[in-house]
Amino acid sequence: MLAVETDINLLLEGCLANHRKSQEGLYRHFYGFAMTIALRYSRDEHDAADIMSHAFVKIFKSIKSYDAQKGSLHAWIKKIIINEGLDHIKSRKRFSENVDVETIEAPEVNNAALEQMGSEEIMNIIKRLPPATHAVFILYAVEGYNHREVSERLGISEGTSKWHLSEARKTLQQQLQHLKT
Amino acid sequence: MRNKETYELTVTSKLEALPLPNLEDAIWSRIEAQLDIDLPTDDGNGGNTPTPGSPSGSWWLKGTGLFILAVAIISFFTLTKSKNENGPAQGSGEIIPPHIDSIAQDKPPPDPNIRQTPKQASPIITSNNSKDPVIQVDSNSSTSLVPPPITKDSLQVVNSPPVGFTPVKDSGTTKKKSRGVKGITDSDYKIVPSKKDSS
């Protein structure tokens, strides 16, 4: 563990000096971690590749702003990947759409049925959601943000965030029932 | 952050288990290409240690630069040499203007028979002390000149009433090769009215 941290510190020093080999080393070290996050905000592998390339260019360009005292490198990189993923979702058509916040429901999701599903099946349901619903569901259900934080990140109201989450849960439950039958 | 529900924990664990696409090298190529534009390295070869004979090394760049420099130096000396051979001797690039007096002395004296006038396209009416105004036409001018009809009122020459006009062709400033029979000059062709106009 200590050896890995030493390696990362060496890579960081190289990245600060704009050494390509160090940048490549840091990218390859965090590839799996970052790609897992990028895939959540993507519809396919090409979307994920776009998010990854843009995010890592930003990481290397702003590596001097990373402060180890404020948080871990993992958290810093995760934040940049999520921001890039949200920008990617926002660039898709029909991100902003009129919602009826008066009729927000909270449908239950059958967890037992969910556990029987494969990772790719769940991801296929999520990526077919409308862009804003997709973003809200990932931020809320996977990243663990509350509605106030989600609304701030997406520039929407808390009511709208709740509506999108409700829609996502409804869709997920419908798909689970469909698979069950 | 907040406490997650059960189904959210399940979704999170499932998404973390997603198989990763095999795009690691392809994505790095894109990142590297963008970094070469946005954050070029000092050595210009992406921070790699250059190896002799390696195609990624910068030896060919240095070679091209040296070749261009050599061509520029050779061209400069060749041009300078040809200038010295063709042009007058000049010391340390100083430009010496030609001596005007010496050029004027080299020029042959003007022929007294040839009337020299400054080059211009319009006819000139002169009325020195002679009685007859003379229209001089520049022979070098490509414009064909037709003298306007002259009346008494149109000429404002004092002391020399307009009697008649003697057009004289200007032979130009350069001396022409003499033609015809020797002893006959251009002044012999000057047409002068034998009689004065009675009016």
Side-chain angles (χ1 to χ4, degrees), chain B residues 34-113:
Chain B
Q34 191 61 41
L35 287 175
D36 285 342
I37 296 166
D38 295 344
L39 293 173
T41 53
D42 295 337
D43 52 4
N45 64 352
N48 300 324
T49 307
T51 54
S54 167
S56 62
S58 61
W59 61 269
W60 61 273
L61 275 175
K62 290 175 183 172
T64 308
L66 283 173
F67 176 75
I68 292 168
L69 186 68
V71 168
I73 290 168
I74 291 166
S75 303
F76 174 75
F77 280 113
T78 308
L79 285 172
T80 310
K81 193 180 176 184
S82 64
K83 270 186 182 177
N84 289 339
E85 285 173 354
N86 296 332
Q90 293 175 359
S92 66
E94 188 183 353
I95 298 170
I96 302 167
H99 199 269
I100 296 168
D101 290 343
S102 63
I103 291 171
Q105 284 167 3
D106 293 337
K107 206 175 176 181
D111 193 337
N113 296 323

Side-chain angles (χ1 to χ4, degrees), chain B residues 3-14:
Chain B
N3 292 326
K4 285 185 177 180
E5 293 182 34
T6 314
Y7 89 94
E8 292 171 353
L9 290 169
T10 306
V11 170
T12 304
S13 64
K14 293 277 182 183

Side-chain angles (χ1 to χ4, degrees), chain A residues 6-8 11 14 25 38 44 54 62 73 78 81 94 100-101 103 110 115 139 144 146 157 161 166 168 174:
Chain A
T6 309
D7 288 347
I8 292 174
L11 290 172
D44 53 35
H54 288 130
S62 59
L73 187 60
K78 182 179 178 179
I81 300 280
R94 293 179 62 233
D100 185 7
V101 293
T103 57
N110 188 340
E115 281 183 340
L139 287 175
N146 58 39
S157 68
S161 175
S166 169
Q174 284 171 356

Side-chain angles (χ1 to χ4, degrees), chain A residues 100-111:
Chain A
D100 185 7
V101 293
E102 299 295 323
T103 57
I104 297 172
E105 300 169 18
E108 288 291 322
V109 178
N110 188 340
N111 190 55

Side-chain angles (χ1 to χ4, degrees), chain A residues 18 20-21 24 27-28 31-32 45 50 53 61 111 114-115 117 119 122 140-142 144-145 169, chain B residues 1-2 4 6-8 10-11 14 20-21 23-25 27-28 30 35-36 38-41 46 48:
Chain A
N18 195 28
R20 283 287 182 277
K21 283 289 178 192
E24 185 179 357
Y27 159 77
R28 293 193 186 279
Y31 173 78
E45 292 178 353
D50 282 346
S53 58
K61 285 168 80 173
N111 190 55
L114 200 61
E115 281 183 340
M117 291 177 73
S119 303
I122 293 173
Y140 187 90
V142 180
Y145 292 111
R169 289 170 69 163
Chain B
M1 292 290 177
R2 59 182 181 77
K4 285 185 177 180
T6 314
Y7 89 94
E8 292 171 353
T10 306
V11 170
K14 293 277 182 183
L20 299 178
L23 295 170
E24 192 171 344
D25 293 334
I27 294 169
W28 171 247
R30 287 168 61 175
L35 287 175
D36 285 342
D38 295 344
L39 293 173
T41 53
N48 300 324

